[in-house]
Amino acid sequence: MERRGLGRRLREMGMTHFQTDVLLALTRVPRGSTVSYKQLAAMAGHPGAYRAVGTVMRKNPLAPTIPCHRVIKSDGTLGNYSGRGGARRKMVLLASEGASVKGR
DNA sequence: CAGGTGACATGAG
DNA sequence: ACTCATGCCACCT
């Protein structure tokens, strides 16, 4: 997928630079892997903005292009998820990718 | 400009 | 191990 155009498209959607940065970093996450909000924030170049990362995800559940379900908490738990089924769906998706999830 | 909110993180009790 | 309280950053009203 053209991640380059994706970023520009997100900007066109009305997303700020921060939003685009985080979402782009998320697309860089390989399938079957999971990253914590803190990790993603650092990857996006905004270490410490893990709080804002969550805010971004919550506002962008309408982007099937972005694997938002791969973002979990630092404790290894799922955390929350906006979308059909909520955290339930998130757990199933991660299990489908072969990612180990705590809690069950 | 100020206040409130939230898919979090960390520490203390 | 669990719950409560505080800190953090970006966004919205």
Side-chain angles (χ1 to χ4, degrees), chain A residues 64-80:
Chain A
T65 322
I66 302 169
C68 15
H69 62 267
R70 284 187 202 153
V71 189
I72 62 170
K73 298 211 347 182
S74 342
D75 306 82
T77 42
L78 287 175
N80 238 283

Side-chain angles (χ1 to χ4, degrees), chain A residues 33-65:
Chain A
S33 255
T34 52
V35 287
S36 61
Y37 294 89
K38 205 158 97 174
Q39 277 269 279
L40 187 58
M43 247 190 291
H46 291 262
Y50 40 78
R51 254 290 200 171
V53 172
T55 307
V56 176
M57 296 295 135
R58 183 169 72 76
K59 241 206 126 203
N60 289 22
L62 40 115
T65 322

